[in-house]
Amino acid sequence: MRETPGVVIKSKFKVPSTKKKSRRYTTYLDYINRPDAKDSREQFETYHDYMEDETKSSGLFTREDDRLNDEKRRTVRDIFKHAQENGSILWQDVISFDNTWLLETGVLHDDLVDERRLIQATRNAVEAMLQKEKMVHAYWTGAVHYNTDNIHVHVAIVETSHIRERGKRKPKSIELMKSKVIHSLADRTKEQEKLNAFIRDELVAHKRNKKIQSLPNRVLHPDLVRQFKDIYERLPEDKRQWRYNMNGMQPLRESLDRLTDHYIDIHFKSEFQAFNERLEQEVSFHRRSYGDTEKAERYRTTKRQDLYTRMGNAILSEMRDLSKEQTIVEKNRSPKHPVRRAFNQQKIFNESLYRIERHMNDEFEHLKNQRAFEQLERDIEYGK
């Protein structure tokens, strides 16, 4: 299922003519800079008032310049002419926008276009594509057009040296352009960071600091501890495989995921609900921007898998620690060390008592605070 995407990129290329058509590439520059490719004078005047700078109007722009004066335009024409003479291919990209999407991202507002954002988004996209394609000696120019129902940007690219013979670019390079345009105009960094923060800074951090085999979990959540022990007893003998994505863990991943779900349900139920709501917002953004439900679903799957992978590795880390402790205890149980064995047994006993006492103190303090709070509520209710 597809819906109208926020951004579409169409690409093609032309090989240099063998005939005497020296104006072929420079004519294309004239075409994308032609007067009828722009809005009427009145609409541009409105844009000029908005920008408060009459020199910033629609026209050719490059990597360095938002607008070209006559001298720079002549220089660009010469660069494209010499590129054609040297046998360079001419790549032509059109980045087209759904105007409603531009309204949603704030690029279009009250019939005014934030052209600076469109230009910078184009720069980010083209430079990323050129880097991925290793087109080190490429030169390009662009122009924003308003002459159709959808605002769009024309991009023309040539190579000034080290000319390549093939014009076809990798589909992933064009997809990267699209991604850069979308994220330049609709920055979702903060929203995505909230998703990552829940996984890394709340969920995984809590797991690392609160072992599943802790006394509170043993008393209050014995099923959680039983799940933990069941997985631990089925781990591969080769401890190098004790990583979530290792082949040896494949039979246990489903069990690890269920343990993660159980852990979240106990300790992070409301937070996980908020996480899922944010995730659905991001999935909706991907679907709207790319017009591709499959891509949006991949985003959801990837983010959930990141959660399970990080939590799975945190759980396996606790299991590695447990294995080391058991190895030490087994060594100390040797008949050759009766004194050490007695010492360690006493040490383990003392540590257990300490943990129990600390836990009981924490529970007692919590109870006192809760009672004080309830008393305060009663006082308020009866006007004391």
Side-chain angles (χ1 to χ4, degrees):
M1 178 180 178
R2 300 180 71 89
E3 60 180 78
T4 303
V7 180
V8 173
I9 296 183
K10 295 183 179 180
S11 302
K12 62 181 180 179
F13 63 89
K14 293 181 179 180
V15 296
S17 174
T18 55
K19 299 179 181 180
K20 294 182 179 179
K21 293 183 179 180
S22 60
R23 288 180 51 80
R24 183 171 183 175
Y25 288 3
T26 54
T27 300
Y28 178 70
L29 294 181
D30 290 337
Y31 164 75
I32 64 176
N33 195 43
R34 70 193 189 281
D36 64 339
K38 307 174 185 179
D39 261 336
S40 67
R41 176 179 176 83
E42 289 75 19
Q43 288 171 313
F44 266 105
E45 286 179 348
T46 303
Y47 171 72
H48 290 157
D49 293 339
Y50 170 66
M51 295 297 292
E52 296 183 343
D53 185 349
E54 292 186 357
T55 66
K56 298 291 183 182
S57 65
S58 190
L60 293 178
F61 65 89
T62 64
R63 179 189 288 117
E64 298 86 8
D65 297 296
D66 289 351
R67 177 167 172 78
L68 305 182
N69 57 28
D70 290 340
E71 181 181 354
K72 288 184 177 180
R73 186 175 288 105
R74 284 193 296 270
T75 299
V76 169
R77 288 172 57 85
D78 288 340
I79 290 173
F80 273 71
K81 179 180 178 181
H82 293 148
Q84 180 183 0
E85 292 171 350
N86 292 335
S88 172
I89 292 168
L90 172 66
W91 288 272
Q92 301 171 11
D93 298 310
V94 179
I95 307 170
S96 182
F97 302 96
D98 175 19
N99 288 357
T100 303
W101 186 85
L102 290 179
L103 283 168
E104 293 169 2
T105 57
V107 177
L108 187 60
H109 181 68
D110 291 339
D111 294 328
L112 300 174
V113 180
D114 191 341
E115 193 169 278
R116 285 184 178 180
R117 288 175 65 183
L118 291 179
I119 290 174
Q120 190 56 51
T122 303
R123 286 184 178 129
N124 296 342
V126 174
E127 293 303 319
M129 180 275 295
L130 294 178
Q131 184 175 1
K132 190 170 184 63
E133 286 287 327
K134 296 181 171 56
M135 296 173 68
V136 179
H137 302 282
Y139 187 89
W140 64 271
T141 188
V144 182
H145 287 195
Y146 306 93
N147 60 317
T148 64
D149 291 339
N150 297 99
I151 296 171
H152 56 283
V153 181
H154 283 271
V155 177
I157 308 169
V158 292
E159 287 181 309
T160 56
S161 62
H162 296 77
I163 308 298
R164 60 175 61 191
E165 296 180 358
R166 296 187 60 187
K168 188 174 181 180
R169 290 166 289 177
K170 303 182 191 71
K172 286 187 176 180
S173 299
I174 305 303
E175 193 64 25
L176 177 62
M177 283 184 69
K178 186 174 181 178
S179 178
K180 286 292 183 180
V181 169
I182 290 171
H183 290 286
S184 295
L185 296 178
D187 186 5
R188 306 292 294 184
T189 303
K190 291 182 179 178
E191 289 77 8
Q192 292 171 5
E193 184 54 37
K194 288 177 182 177
L195 294 174
N196 295 332
F198 169 75
I199 296 173
R200 295 190 311 257
D201 303 334
E202 294 187 48
L203 186 58
V204 175
H206 183 275
K207 167 64 203 67
R208 287 173 178 164
N209 295 326
K210 306 287 185 181
K211 293 185 179 296
I212 289 178
Q213 290 209 111
S214 65
L215 181 61
N217 281 335
R218 290 180 184 182
V219 174
L220 301 174
H221 311 294
D223 288 343
L224 185 72
V225 178
R226 276 196 293 270
Q227 278 184 269
F228 179 92
K229 289 182 177 179
D230 177 66
I231 296 172
Y232 180 73
E233 290 169 359
R234 292 187 290 141
L235 286 171
E237 291 185 9
D238 185 0
K239 294 179 183 178
R240 292 175 297 181
Q241 293 289 316
W242 293 15
R243 296 289 189 280
Y244 185 88
N245 287 321
M246 296 296 285
N247 291 334
M249 291 305 301
Q250 186 172 0
L252 294 174
R253 281 185 201 135
E254 187 176 345
S255 297
L256 276 169
D257 293 348
R258 285 199 301 269
L259 179 56
T260 292
D261 289 336
H262 196 174
Y263 188 92
I264 290 173
D265 192 57
I266 292 171
H267 296 291
F268 288 93
K269 193 168 186 177
S270 61
E271 293 88 347
F272 187 58
Q273 183 178 349
F275 169 84
N276 280 326
E277 290 172 359
R278 291 193 187 101
L279 180 58
E280 289 309 310
Q281 290 173 3
E282 290 307 298
V283 170
S284 177
F285 166 77
H286 273 69
R287 188 184 298 113
R288 176 70 179 93
S289 300
Y290 293 92
D292 189 343
T293 299
E294 183 179 348
K295 187 179 181 69
E297 291 300 323
R298 282 201 305 271
Y299 178 84
R300 178 193 284 114
T301 301
T302 299
K303 190 55 63 177
R304 285 188 177 277
Q305 194 55 49
D306 180 45
L307 184 152
Y308 284 121
T309 299
R310 291 178 182 273
M311 272 297 289
N313 281 326
I315 293 168
L316 289 169
S317 176
E318 180 178 343
M319 292 179 176
R320 286 194 299 273
D321 292 340
L322 177 60
S323 177
K324 290 177 184 177
E325 291 173 5
Q326 289 183 339
T327 300
I328 294 172
V329 170
E330 287 298 325
K331 287 182 179 179
N332 292 337
R333 281 178 180 172
S334 170
K336 296 179 180 180
H337 304 284
V339 176
R340 181 181 298 173
R341 183 173 69 250
F343 173 78
N344 283 318
Q345 287 175 343
Q346 184 63 37
K347 180 181 178 182
I348 292 171
F349 178 72
N350 291 339
E351 289 176 349
S352 297
L353 286 177
Y354 170 74
R355 284 196 298 269
I356 292 171
E357 182 181 1
R358 186 176 62 178
H359 175 66
M360 295 302 292
N361 286 337
D362 290 344
E363 290 297 320
F364 180 66
E365 287 297 324
H366 174 72
L367 183 60
K368 285 199 304 182
N369 292 335
Q370 182 64 28
R371 287 179 175 174
F373 177 72
E374 291 171 354
Q375 182 61 47
L376 178 61
E377 284 188 323
R378 286 195 294 270
D379 292 345
I380 294 173
E381 181 179 356
Y382 293 106
K384 291 184 178 182

